[in-house]
Amino acid sequence: MKTTIFGRDWSLSPLGDRATWPSQLKTLVGIILASNQPMFVAWGPKRTLIYNNAYSDILASKHPAALGEDLMDVWSDIGADLLPIVERTYSGQPVEMDDIKFIMNRRGYPEETHFSFFYAPIADDDGTVMGIYCACNEITAQVLGARRGEETEKALLAERDRTRASQAQQAFLLDLTDNLRAQPTTSAIMQLASDSLGTWLDADRVFYAEIAGSLMTVECEYADGVISLIGQHSLEAFGPDLLSAYRSQTAIRVDDVVNDERLNDAAREGLGSRQVGSFVDVVLFKETTFVGLLAVQAKSARVWTSEEEALIREVADRMKFAVERSRADEDAFRAATRHRLRAELGQVLQSLSDPMEIKSAVARRLGPHLGVDQANYYRIEDGKFVVTNEWHADGLAGMLGVHQLGSFAKSTVRLLEAGSVLRVDDTRTQPDAEAYSTFGMGAALSVPLHRNGAWVAGLHLHQSTPRSWTDDEEDLVREVAAYIWAALERARAQQELRALNETLEQQVAERSAERDRLWSLSQDMFARADYSGMMSAVSPAWERVLGWSEAELLSRGYASFMHPDDTAPTLAAISRMAETRRPTRFENRIATSDGGWKSIEWTVAPEADGQNFVAVGRDMSLVKAKEHALVEAQEQLRQSQKLEAMGQLTGGVAHDFNNLLTPIIGSLDMLTRTELTSDRQRRLIDRALQSAERAKLLVQRLLAFARRQPLQATAVDVAALIDSMKGLIGSTLGPSINITLNVEPDLPPAKADENQLEMALLNLAVNARDAMADGGNLTIAATLEQSSGDTKLGLSAGCYVRLRVVDTGTGMDEATIARAIEPFFSTKGIGKGTGLGLSMVHGLTAQLGGALDIVSAPGQGTSVELWLPISEGYVDMKPDAEPSFAPSAKRGTALLVDDEPLVRMNTSDMLVDLGYIVIEAASAEEALLLVRNGAIPDLLITDHLMPGMTGAELARDIRRTMPDLPVVIVSGYSEVEGLAPDLPRLTKPFRHAELAEILAGLMPTVEVEGVGSP
């Protein structure tokens, strides 16, 4: 794009029209336009830029907008570098540079550029610099090209070094892989890999650890000048942050343990105590489970390279593969060894008849096989366990002798007494850790043996260090315990047979009777069955649990009693048991004789003949019922918490609204007492006052739901209240609804707020009317009821007056009932109800210590019950007429305390209107200061809930020096803790007449003009 110097209108630029340019500028412009070298002129104090076509290429996207603009504005992106050069030239000194570097943004992105240039000042005849001239060349390509040549050479040398290192590393990995494959054991694999990697990286410690839960087990390590870490360690000792980082499946590289901000104090302390100054940890996962860790460590700070980290990752993968392969081989070998052990034990135990020899033979074979420190057989006698035979590793103390069961926790003893296996991986976590430590047990596995339901003996193994027992190990110990028990029982039977040969028939009869008693009395269902589907024997418990007779059970296939959905899975489980020859467990549903179903948990085991199996079933109905009850209780708790949270929210909102409504209602009420200029003004104020009163009613309902409404609970004659409201309810419901009253005679008085109870009853009647759009029947009943404590309703035990409102309307479903008492929930549609009626009733009954219950179903009407506690007081008879107050000219000084300014101002106006001199205070502390400084009030009117000291506390403090001072507490809450019963209370929001009336009761000589006015 060509420059447009001659096509531009310069009259609006700082230079003015071209015809007025000075001769020097015209000459310079002619020179630069004729040149092929990039040139420009910056003229005048505004440094107005004029340049040639060659310079426009340097400007790039800044051209042509740069023409005629301030040089520094055009190059604002390099202003910090350019400004010193421009200022120096304007000062009269030329500037020349062969290479200057700028980071320019001339094409929409930052780029490195290089220039050679000459800046010359242009002065007029008296030496004043008028502008600058610049000739320049961009040398970016030459500079960057030379640099790339140097960088390319360096990169080639670095790549050669990396290739050589990579080749050496690959050779190392290949040799390591071959060597790992040749190792005979897992320990040998770990040791070889640790030694090789530690030597290659010149590390101070290398180890491969296997992870189970939060325990890390180090079997082998490479350690050069550092302490050994062989053994078990808790990963939690290094803090949660490091453990969380391990579980992220990424390598952890720390160059300086002391200063790395990712490590917390726990991790630094744990690593420091183990002489770790820097490390690279590679975590290993099997699917999503954290199973292993390869750690390479140095005892001081060290910068680990990415190549070193990559090598450690490669070695970790190869170690994991080799370890898993070796573990699989070891598992296969172990399985074969255990098979031989079972066969050997079977042969040995068959050949032995002496109990002592049987116990010793088992212990000395089982202990070394499992690699434990102790294996013994014990028996229980008189609350003690007696060890008579054992095997223990060399150098360890044995357990031979008599030991007290009481040294162990009751939970441990109860577990074994119940027939459950004791399996402890780390005894330090147990409540009886001290007792375990006494016997040198770090981990324990004990299988109890029972006779006639009593714990009589057991097979016990333990290790001095923590150990993660496997299910396979537990199954093996169970089997061996069964072997030894069978052998001991056989030996015992043989001894008894020899000793009591003459009474064989008697012994057999006693044994049979004992088995029969177990068979008959057990609550579990015993059965013997074959794989073809028939049972050959069932215990009496079948009939007790399911109702089927023995004949019915044996005549039909057992599959016919199963639930159709459970038949296939059950038969598949029995088939697998037949194939594996191992006991199994499952649960299914079995038919009862009355047509129902019961959930039964089964334990089945094959018999040696290969044709039959035995089954033990336990009725799970009670367990299921308890689980269902727990779910229901949790749901009730959730609903209770939900309503409590909603109550707290609505109560807080209502309290704030009371503070807003107090000045509104009070101000409007005061206006009605003045001489208004027109009827229109009076109508407007009356409508505003009516709306404010409706808002006051809405707030009262919110407070009722939140159980915070100010109640005046007294003894209420419910029967009289219902009778007095019959006419109002009838006119409200209309002629299409029949009203029936059913009130029990001689009802005792109920504890309630009479006004609130009337409102609640009217709300329920209106709800019933809306549910009976086409007419119906409404029944209002009141009875005396005795409750022994209802957890559903939250009632305490005692006597209650139950007030029922029953309609024949549309009814509610369960979902509607569940939400019926929520505030603002309504089924009446928009504009047809606030949704606070039932909420208010619920809050009222709960606040009084009663309850609300709703019974309803779609199309069957609704019954709402109010349970009101019995009052211990007597019903007060209402006076026939309101008391009159004798006016008086006497006035006094009122101390008014309220933290809300608008409430305080409005109340002050009312008091002034009543003839008081008012002293205002924004807090209880401010009021006390006024009194201490000499104020002597005739009356104290104070808000109750204020920051700091409450109104009740203020009243108590002032009355210490003025015991006869009249006090009025103003509050919008029912929760006026610490409020003495003799302190009158005025409920927010209140009107002029209400204030005057309460003051008349306190100070009858005070003029109360206007009491009772609307």
Side-chain angles (χ1 to χ4, degrees), residues 111-384:
E111 59 178 315
E112 179 183 343
T113 61
H114 293 263
F115 292 89
S116 63
F117 63 83
F118 172 72
Y119 273 46
I122 308 300
D124 58 10
D125 295 339
D126 60 2
T128 301
V129 176
M130 303 173 65
I132 60 176
Y133 159 79
C134 174
C136 62
N137 284 301
E138 183 171 359
I139 57 174
T140 302
Q142 298 91 313
V143 172
L144 296 183
R147 184 192 300 169
R148 282 194 293 270
E150 295 174 356
E151 292 175 350
T152 300
E153 183 177 359
K154 291 179 181 178
L156 290 173
L157 292 174
E159 182 62 27
R160 183 194 64 188
D161 293 340
R162 283 195 297 271
T163 300
R164 290 176 178 174
S166 176
Q167 290 172 346
Q169 184 169 299
Q170 289 301 318
F172 167 78
L173 290 172
L174 289 173
D175 290 342
L176 178 63
T177 303
D178 291 339
N179 292 332
L180 291 177
R181 190 178 297 112
Q183 300 307 306
T185 64
T186 303
S187 298
I189 291 172
M190 295 178 180
Q191 190 65 61
L192 173 66
S194 300
D195 292 344
S196 301
L197 188 59
T199 302
W200 180 266
L201 293 177
D202 192 23
D204 295 320
R205 184 190 292 116
V206 178
F207 63 81
Y208 178 87
E210 292 187 294
I211 309 299
S214 61
L215 288 179
M216 175 179 74
T217 303
V218 181
E219 292 186 12
C220 309
E221 67 178 353
Y222 167 84
D224 184 9
V226 291
I227 61 175
S228 174
L229 294 186
I230 292 177
Q232 284 193 319
H233 308 271
S234 172
L235 291 175
E236 295 176 350
F238 298 95
D241 294 339
L242 188 59
L243 186 57
S244 176
Y246 284 156
R247 291 179 174 141
S248 67
Q249 302 194 28
T250 58
I252 310 299
R253 189 170 81 189
V254 174
D255 295 337
D256 187 350
V257 166
V258 174
N259 298 311
D260 196 304
E261 295 181 352
R262 294 172 298 172
L263 300 176
N264 59 21
D265 293 340
R268 290 193 186 94
E269 182 179 354
L271 293 167
S273 66
R274 292 165 174 80
Q275 295 180 288
V276 182
S278 60
F279 65 89
V280 178
D281 286 350
V282 176
V283 292
L284 301 169
F285 284 77
K286 186 173 184 180
E287 297 178 351
T288 60
T289 304
F290 183 22
V291 296
L293 170 70
L294 177 60
V296 180
Q297 302 171 344
K299 59 185 175 182
S300 58
R302 168 175 174 172
V303 178
W304 302 95
T305 66
S306 300
E307 290 77 12
E308 290 173 332
E309 179 183 334
L311 175 63
I312 297 169
R313 286 176 177 272
E314 289 283 349
V315 173
D317 290 339
R318 284 162 171 76
M319 285 187 72
K320 177 188 175 187
F321 176 78
V323 167
E324 288 180 345
R325 174 181 51 79
S326 178
R327 289 289 189 210
D329 293 342
E330 291 175 355
D331 289 342
F333 176 77
R334 191 180 299 110
T337 303
R338 289 181 181 173
H339 179 72
R340 289 195 298 271
L341 174 67
R342 292 184 179 98
E344 180 183 354
L345 282 174
Q347 294 176 356
V348 170
L349 294 178
Q350 285 291 336
S351 64
L352 297 175
S353 58
D354 182 78
M356 297 294 286
E357 292 179 355
I358 291 173
K359 299 170 189 176
S360 297
V362 170
R364 65 173 176 264
R365 285 171 172 80
L366 184 60
H369 175 79
L370 290 178
V372 297
D373 296 330
Q374 167 80 226
N376 65 56
Y377 177 91
Y378 63 86
R379 67 177 186 271
I380 303 300
E381 293 181 358
D382 299 329
K384 303 170 184 176

Side-chain angles (χ1 to χ4, degrees), residues 938-942 951-952 954-956 958-959 962 964-969 979 982-985 998-999 1002:
D938 300 300
L939 170 68
L940 171 63
I941 299 182
T942 176
L954 171 62
R956 284 196 299 268
I958 290 182
R959 278 189 166 180
M962 301 179 182
D964 298 326
L965 179 67
V967 176
V968 176
I969 300 293
L979 183 59
D982 61 333
L983 290 179
R985 188 174 72 197
I998 198 168
L999 292 182
L1002 285 174

Side-chain angles (χ1 to χ4, degrees), residues 464-496:
S464 58
T465 58
R467 167 177 179 159
S468 297
W469 303 100
T470 65
D471 293 340
D472 189 48
E473 290 171 338
E474 180 181 334
D475 291 341
L476 175 64
V477 178
R478 283 177 179 271
E479 288 185 44
V480 173
Y483 290 162
I484 194 172
W485 182 248
L488 290 173
E489 289 293 286
R490 186 186 68 250
R492 186 169 66 87
Q494 290 174 350
Q495 289 179 349
E496 292 177 355

Side-chain angles (χ1 to χ4, degrees), residues 701-825:
R701 290 182 174 183
L702 285 173
L703 285 172
F705 168 76
R707 308 179 195 178
R708 296 185 179 183
Q709 64 175 332
L711 294 181
Q712 296 180 3
T714 59
V716 176
D717 186 340
V718 177
L721 183 144
I722 295 172
D723 185 66
S724 66
M725 292 190 66
K726 180 178 180 181
L728 175 61
I729 294 174
S731 62
T732 302
L733 269 55
S736 63
I737 297 176
N738 297 319
I739 301 176
T740 302
L741 301 183
N742 186 4
V743 180
E744 184 176 308
D746 300 325
L747 276 178
K751 178 184 177 183
D753 183 311
E754 185 168 359
N755 292 331
Q756 296 292 340
L757 185 57
E758 288 176 351
M759 184 183 298
L761 185 56
L762 186 59
N763 276 329
L764 295 180
V766 171
N767 284 348
R769 179 199 64 188
D770 295 341
M772 298 184 289
D774 298 327
N777 296 314
L778 177 70
T779 301
I780 301 176
T783 56
L784 179 63
E785 302 291 344
Q786 177 74 31
S787 173
S788 58
D790 190 327
T791 56
K792 175 186 174 184
L793 298 180
L795 283 176
S796 302
C799 289
Y800 295 85
V801 173
R802 183 178 67 167
L803 177 59
R804 298 176 62 233
V805 179
V806 184
D807 66 58
T808 57
T810 55
M812 295 182 282
D813 57 22
E814 292 185 0
T816 304
I817 294 174
R819 297 192 59 195
I821 62 174
E822 293 182 9
F824 305 111
F825 174 77

